[in-house]
């Protein structure tokens, strides 16, 4: 077990909501920005933990889609809440599972004594790239930010185990092809705009999960009996 504990958290949601039958989705609008959601959630987490940014040893952004290619999103969060300090900031990205991967990864560094207290921020504004023509994804995703502060502890609590698997057979079942070197922004036109939007094949993803996840869970449980 990697002995860590949560000592504070913060949540920030956009003011604007949309309803799909009985389900509510949050969508940024007006002057709201992704970085402001991330910074606000972080400040709330610090307040909730009754500490200041100077008590943090590392800032981690664990978001599926960042604000811009360079610098890393964690550096931009640092600019908002820790400017003038030298607190290290880094991104950990495994798209939808980014927070879980960040928690797993940073728990090792906390256990090793590299850091004592870490701020992990997950913030996404999916609505900026959703395709209204794809109902399954357009109605599924929401915007928002959450921040957690974790620290090393002597208590018998923490991360018991973790498992990471990648099945690249599904690599192109959820993607945004445009924006970087694969499909450069100079190629953006009205006819190619969907290349810059989120594209999801839900049936393919579901089929892959049905085939792979039960075996993974069986292995995970066997390792922890």
């Amino acid at each position: 077990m990697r002995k860590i504990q949560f000592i504070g958290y913060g949540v920030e949601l956009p003011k604007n909501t949309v309803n799909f039958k009985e389900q509510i989705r949050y969508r940024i609008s007006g002057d709201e920005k992704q970085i402001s959601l991330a910074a606000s959630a972080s400040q709330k987490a610090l307040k909730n933990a009754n500490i200041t940014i100077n008590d943090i040893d590392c800032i981690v952004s664990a978001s599926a889609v960042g604000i811009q290619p360079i610098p890393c999103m964690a550096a931009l969060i640092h600019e908002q809440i820790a400017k003038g300090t030298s607190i290290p900031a880094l991104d950990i990205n495994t798209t939808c599972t980014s927070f879980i991967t960040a928690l797993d990864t940073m728990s090792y560094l906390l256990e090793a004594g590299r850091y004592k207290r870490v701020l992990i921020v997950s913030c996404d504004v999916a609505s900026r790239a959703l395709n209204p023509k794809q109902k399954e994804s357009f109605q599924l995703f929401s915007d928002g930010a959450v921040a957690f502060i974790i620290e090393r502890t002597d208590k018998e609590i923490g991360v018991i185990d973790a498992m990471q698997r990648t099945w690249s057979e599904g690599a192109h079942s959820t993607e945004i092809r445009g924006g970087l070197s694969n499909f450069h922004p100079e190629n953006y036109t009205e006819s190619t705009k969907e290349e810059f939007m989120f594209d999801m094949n839900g049936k393919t993803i579901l089929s892959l999960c049905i085939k792979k996840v039960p075996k993974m869970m069986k292995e995970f449980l066997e390792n922890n009996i």
Side-chain angles (χ1 to χ4, degrees):
M1 177 187 289
R2 283 154 269 152
K3 296 180 181 179
I4 65 169
Q5 64 180 353
F6 293 96
I7 65 167
Y9 72 94
V11 177
E12 187 66 36
L13 296 172
K15 300 179 181 66
N16 184 51
T17 62
V18 292
N19 296 315
F20 297 108
K21 294 183 179 180
E22 296 180 355
Q23 297 185 341
I24 297 174
R25 298 291 182 264
Y26 293 87
R27 300 284 166 87
I28 61 173
S29 61
D31 295 331
E32 290 179 312
K33 297 182 183 297
Q34 184 174 0
I35 188 62
S36 61
L37 294 179
S40 180
S42 299
Q43 296 287 12
K44 287 182 177 180
L46 291 168
K47 183 177 180 180
N48 183 252
N50 196 29
I51 60 175
T52 71
I53 191 62
N54 294 314
D55 297 307
I56 297 296
D57 300 310
C58 185
I59 299 169
V60 178
S61 173
S63 304
V65 181
I67 295 170
Q68 59 190 64
I70 297 174
C72 68
M73 185 165 167
L76 298 176
I77 295 172
H78 187 291
E79 181 185 30
Q80 295 293 313
I81 66 172
K83 192 173 183 179
T85 76
S86 58
I87 300 169
L90 58 99
D91 284 9
I92 294 178
N93 188 316
T94 54
T95 54
C96 292
T97 59
S98 293
F99 177 80
I100 297 173
T101 304
L103 178 61
D104 180 33
T105 302
M106 300 312 294
S107 69
Y108 282 105
L109 293 174
L110 287 167
E111 180 74 11
R114 177 71 176 272
Y115 303 121
K116 179 182 178 182
R117 195 172 291 117
V118 175
L119 170 67
I120 301 177
V121 189
S122 290
C123 178
D124 282 289
V125 288
S127 63
R128 289 300 196 209
L130 293 177
N131 188 344
K133 296 180 182 179
Q134 288 192 0
K135 183 178 178 180
E136 60 177 348
S137 60
F138 187 74
Q139 296 186 7
L140 177 63
F141 293 97
S142 195
D143 300 341
V146 63
F148 282 92
I149 298 170
I150 57 175
E151 70 175 10
R152 189 179 179 183
T153 180
D154 293 326
K155 300 176 183 177
E156 291 300 317
I157 57 175
V159 178
I160 297 173
D161 195 10
M163 179 181 287
Q164 182 82 34
R165 294 290 184 269
T166 297
W167 303 301
S168 58
E169 303 95 308
H172 298 288
S173 295
T174 55
E175 61 180 348
I176 298 175
R177 291 173 289 276
L180 296 177
S181 62
N182 179 53
F183 203 89
H184 196 274
E186 68 184 6
N187 296 313
Y188 183 91
T189 64
E190 185 62 27
S191 62
T192 64
K193 67 180 182 181
E194 290 190 6
E195 299 292 336
F196 296 83
M197 295 179 181
F198 182 71
D199 184 21
M200 182 175 81
N201 188 322
K203 291 182 179 180
T204 301
I205 297 167
L206 179 60
S207 177
L208 183 62
C209 289
I210 291 172
K211 293 176 183 177
K212 301 290 188 178
V213 172
K215 182 179 179 181
M216 175 184 171
M217 292 307 300
K218 182 175 183 293
E219 181 183 349
F220 181 82
L221 293 173
E222 288 175 346
N223 291 341
N224 291 280
I225 292 176

